[in-house]
Amino acid sequence: MQKEDLVDTVIAQWKKERPDIDPSPMAVMGRLVRTSAVFSKELHGVFSRFGLNGGEFDVLATLRRSGKPYTLTPNQLLQTLMLTSGSMTNRIDKLEAKDLVKRSPDPNDRRGVLVSLTEQGLQLIDEVICEHVAKGCDLLSPLEEAEQQQLANLLKKLLVNLHH
């Protein structure tokens, strides 16, 4: 039998205090919120060891997984990361100051720029992504591989149907 958690306590309290409502959705919502908080804290620890925050990691990782030449327009980054243009500019500025990305003129658009990983940025993201994946394996280790896949599929189904 599984141990009880705080969410079980909350649900039991609502059942007692408001027997007229079904608090069962709180089991999923509460655990997702709590899991997200734990994951965010743990990943922040990984990123900060490399002098990054989560947003900077997202930009570097997006450029890296785009493949050689690890270059995208700010608009392509915006679409992938779902940010405002001001937030994106700020992230790029910070990464450029750290010599992890560089801006260059877009040969296909006189007014446009391209954002590319520098050699230092490529080396860093390749290190960080290994730590990121290792932390993910550690965080998910209480679940068997089949359970991890089932959870991933269920969360995907939920997100797709929430239009995100």
Side-chain angles (χ1 to χ4, degrees):
M1 186 168 164
Q2 287 185 340
K3 294 181 194 175
E4 292 218 348
D5 66 358
L6 177 64
V7 176
D8 289 321
T9 303
V10 168
I11 291 170
Q13 290 169 333
W14 279 119
K15 284 181 178 178
K16 180 178 176 240
E17 294 299 319
R18 289 289 310 268
D20 58 310
I21 64 168
D22 175 11
S24 61
M26 291 179 186
V28 174
M29 294 185 304
R31 289 184 178 106
L32 281 174
V33 168
R34 292 175 58 81
T35 301
S36 176
V38 170
F39 282 20
S40 293
K41 181 182 177 209
E42 293 290 327
L43 292 176
H44 174 76
V46 170
F47 304 145
S48 65
R49 282 198 304 277
F50 292 93
L52 298 172
N53 63 39
E56 293 167 334
F57 167 82
D58 288 343
V59 172
L60 295 177
T62 299
L63 289 167
R64 177 62 174 96
R65 70 175 185 263
S66 73
K68 284 188 177 182
Y70 315 118
T71 300
L72 295 170
T73 67
N75 194 44
Q76 289 170 316
L77 283 166
L78 274 174
Q79 291 171 354
T80 303
L81 299 174
M82 297 178 289
L83 295 171
T84 65
S85 60
S87 297
M88 180 55 64
T89 299
N90 188 18
R91 285 186 189 179
I92 294 168
D93 287 347
K94 287 181 179 179
L95 290 167
E96 192 172 37
K98 295 177 183 182
D99 196 32
L100 300 175
V101 302
K102 65 181 178 188
R103 289 180 172 104
S104 57
D106 185 343
N108 301 316
D109 179 356
R110 286 187 314 170
R111 296 175 297 160
V113 297
L114 297 174
V115 180
S116 305
L117 285 176
T118 62
E119 189 58 41
Q120 183 179 334
L122 178 61
Q123 289 175 2
L124 182 67
I125 192 57
D126 279 348
E127 265 188 85
V128 178
I129 197 64
C130 291
E131 293 286 326
H132 182 271
V133 170
K135 179 56 74 176
C137 288
D138 181 52
L139 290 169
L140 295 172
S141 66
L143 302 177
E144 294 175 17
E145 192 174 326
E147 291 173 317
Q148 290 178 31
Q149 189 59 55
Q150 181 183 24
L151 179 58
N153 289 337
L154 290 170
L155 291 170
K156 178 181 177 180
K157 181 178 180 179
L158 183 62
L159 285 172
V160 166
N161 285 287
L162 293 172
H163 309 292
H164 290 100

